[in-house]
Amino acid sequence: MGSSQKQDTRASAGTPGRRTSSASGKPSFPRTLALVVILSVFWLLLSGRTTLPFFIMMAVSVGLVVLMNPERPFGSRAPGLPRGGGEVIRSVGFLVRYLGWLVWNVVVANVDVARRILSPSMPIRPMFMAFRTDIQSDVGQVMVANSITLTPGTVTVDMQDGVYLVHALHPDTAGAVTSGALQNVVAPIFGEGPQPAPDVDWGTGWRELKA
């Protein structure tokens, strides 16, 4: 009796820390399908090739990414909580919104950096900043880091356990991060709630912030 109760307890408790979509521990099919579709479209847009060898390379690459990405690609609100197809569709909608937001901010940042370089009246004051994000998804944290680097005027120098070290051409060029705007367009993709504006530490050198 004692051994059977222990087995039932282990079976119902599941494995802590793993993100699964059902009691069986298997990845959700809608999430897997969403990841395959997104990666395939992205591959086709970048390559522009539709010949058989490129399709084979695409299939192999997408398959490897799917196998290596446990979040498939949108994490649950809490470990073990399933997400249905409707929530995955909403997450894809948030992803499209994020891409539009990112493109617009990259264009605006390009103009701003060009003006700062060409106009003596526009200040250039390079600084480092350190802040922490409340985003729990590992993929979401990486997305924030990459978005910072893709935006002219800011570069992610280091990221570990949700803590970022960023170099900015001027504190104003990091406004999307310091205001929490970037975090709030990334978080909904992974089913996470509103993100507060982070507490930011500024410094002229990265060593004083890493200390």
Side-chain angles (χ1 to χ4, degrees):
M1 177 177 175
S3 60
S4 63
Q5 286 180 340
K6 291 180 181 179
Q7 289 177 353
D8 292 340
T9 302
R10 288 195 298 266
S12 60
T15 304
R18 288 199 58 172
R19 299 186 179 188
T20 57
S21 60
S22 64
S24 64
K26 295 180 180 179
S28 167
F29 175 75
R31 289 163 59 189
T32 302
L33 180 61
L35 178 58
V36 170
V37 171
I38 291 171
L39 292 177
S40 299
V41 171
F42 190 64
W43 175 284
L44 292 173
L45 288 175
L46 290 180
S47 67
R49 305 292 183 88
T50 57
T51 57
L52 181 59
F54 280 91
F55 271 112
I56 295 175
M57 291 175 60
M58 179 187 73
V60 172
S61 301
V62 170
L64 289 174
V65 172
V66 168
L67 289 174
M68 292 186 294
N69 183 6
E71 295 196 354
R72 296 286 202 280
F74 311 114
S76 302
R77 288 184 174 85
L81 278 182
R83 298 191 71 189
E87 292 192 47
V88 171
I89 292 174
R90 283 194 292 272
S91 292
V92 173
F94 285 125
L95 176 62
V96 173
R97 185 187 70 165
Y98 155 78
L99 292 174
W101 181 93
L102 180 64
V103 170
W104 171 253
N105 277 268
V106 167
V107 172
V108 172
N110 267 299
V111 174
D112 179 70
V113 170
R115 290 177 59 191
R116 290 179 186 275
I117 294 174
L118 298 176
S119 175
S121 63
M122 293 293 286
I124 294 179
R125 184 156 55 96
M127 296 191 72
F128 286 91
M129 58 180 286
F131 69 96
R132 176 183 292 277
T133 181
D134 292 334
I135 295 176
Q136 300 300 309
S137 167
D138 293 339
V139 179
Q141 292 181 12
V142 172
M143 186 176 290
V144 169
N146 288 341
S147 301
I148 292 172
T149 299
L150 286 171
T151 306
T154 53
V155 176
T156 301
V157 178
D158 189 26
M159 181 198 76
Q160 187 173 4
D161 298 328
V163 178
Y164 296 76
L165 178 65
V166 176
H167 180 271
L169 189 65
H170 188 279
D172 291 344
T173 61
V177 176
T178 57
S179 67
L182 170 58
Q183 297 89 314
N184 276 292
V185 294
V186 172
I189 300 174
F190 303 93
E192 301 187 27
Q195 304 292 306
D199 295 326
V200 180
D201 295 324
W202 292 94
T204 56
W206 65 271
R207 287 184 177 86
E208 59 185 278
L209 295 177
K210 293 283 285 186

